[in-house]
Amino acid sequence: MARKRKADGRTPRRTLWWRTLIAIAVCGAAVGGVAVYRACSDTADTERPVTMDEASRLALSRLNLYQASPVKVVLTATEGAAVVVRVEGVVDYRTHRAVGSYEVTGASGPSKAATPAAGRLDRGLIVWDTGGLGLAPAPEGDDGPPWKLAGHIPRSGWSPRSYTSDPLDAGLQLLIGLGADRPDNPLLLAQSGARLLGSDRIDGRAYERFAGPRAQGATPGTGPDEGRSPLTYWVDADGGLRRVTMRMPGLGTPTSVEFSGRDGRAKLPGAPWGSG
């Protein structure tokens, strides 16, 4: 993108996970006034505080993402008025950079208040990092992976912008900040309100569903969502992160992120972040 980055492309290290992720989430979604969302579970769920073993696996999930980089991701965000944005791509947590393709579907016409008509409204390529995002038209007649297509677009071909507070931008910010080069402190996670919500099976694998640490200043048992974090994580027995959802104000469907493992072929393009 057009803005310059630090030479190594990295962000300052954060030692307290709950501060990091809540800060990211609150940037796009105030904790108060959120719509309650619960995933369907294949077992009877009893919500409770996490044990130290559970907190330890949750604490490992960011490091596991970092070590697996670049990882394949799918982000789905509902923008309201039946408009849905879907981003498929890869994230490199070593450089805190990501590239993908996006597709917007939903209500047609210049006004989102118009009668909804299913269909594609827009599509293209997207790159993002900790500072913002850039968009570019997808090259015609080429069905290669997004990271490869993006490599053919010069720096001048990207339209950069800063993040806003809409669901897509909040999801992109959350996604780019999830990986870390060290595990988090499980004791701090447990003390700051992380909770076990239940368990699910995704693609035949068992995952436990956790509510993240509470927002700073939130009082347990109070507010529209009883002071619980707007972030929910699906983590397996090895600390692998499969899914994250973030509830947004006024929307019944949360912004969701799905991880599907390492993409060893992916090479993120340098042009969007170049200095020339």
Side-chain angles (χ1 to χ4, degrees):
M1 291 183 287
R3 64 176 62 81
K4 285 189 177 182
R5 301 286 179 254
K6 294 182 180 179
D8 62 0
R10 296 186 128 191
T11 55
R13 291 177 175 173
R14 296 170 173 85
T15 57
L16 298 181
W17 188 23
W18 62 275
R19 290 182 181 176
T20 303
L21 296 190
I22 291 302
I24 294 170
V26 171
C27 179
V31 175
V34 298
V36 176
Y37 168 81
R38 288 301 187 88
C40 294
S41 174
D42 60 0
T43 62
D45 295 343
T46 302
E47 181 180 334
R48 58 168 173 75
V50 295
T51 64
M52 284 307 299
D53 177 68
E54 291 160 352
S56 295
R57 282 187 281 116
L58 190 58
L60 278 175
S61 62
R62 297 183 71 205
L63 176 62
N64 287 338
L65 277 182
Y66 178 90
Q67 292 178 333
S69 293
V71 293
K72 295 179 286 186
V73 299
V74 175
L75 182 151
T76 305
T78 301
E79 297 284 346
V83 175
V84 177
V85 185
R86 179 182 172 89
V87 175
E88 295 187 41
V90 292
V91 179
D92 188 341
Y93 287 108
R94 290 179 169 82
T95 61
H96 293 279
R97 292 175 177 177
V99 60
S101 60
Y102 72 89
E103 183 175 76
V104 184
T105 58
S108 61
S111 172
K112 292 182 181 180
T115 302
R120 187 168 66 193
L121 305 180
D122 191 18
R123 63 184 290 268
L125 298 175
I126 182 170
V127 292
W128 70 101
D129 59 15
T130 57
L133 61 95
L135 304 175
E140 295 294 334
D142 194 338
D143 296 326
W147 55 266
K148 187 175 182 180
L149 299 180
H152 297 306
I153 297 176
R155 178 173 172 263
S156 59
W158 295 94
S159 298
R161 67 171 173 82
S162 301
Y163 288 121
T164 68
S165 60
D166 68 26
L168 172 63
D169 289 22
L172 293 173
Q173 284 185 281
L174 172 68
L175 178 53
I176 202 68
L178 282 174
D181 61 0
R182 62 185 63 188
D184 293 286
N185 188 323
L187 182 59
L188 289 178
L189 292 180
Q191 291 177 342
S192 55
R195 299 181 68 82
L196 178 71
L197 303 179
S199 60
D200 299 282
R201 297 192 71 84
I202 303 174
D203 295 332
R205 188 173 179 84
Y207 293 86
E208 288 182 309
R209 183 166 19 100
F210 297 97
R214 292 186 302 269
Q216 297 181 54
T219 302
T222 64
D225 206 12
E226 299 184 348
R228 188 187 300 125
S229 166
L231 303 176
T232 303
Y233 307 86
W234 280 255
V235 180
D236 67 17
D238 300 318
L241 187 60
R242 178 62 172 80
R243 176 185 295 163
V244 179
T245 63
M246 176 169 59
R247 298 184 302 278
M248 302 293 291
L251 295 178
T253 303
T255 296
S256 68
V257 175
E258 301 275 349
F259 297 95
S260 54
R262 175 178 171 81
D263 187 347
R265 305 173 305 153
K267 296 181 180 179
L268 272 66
W273 293 276
S275 58

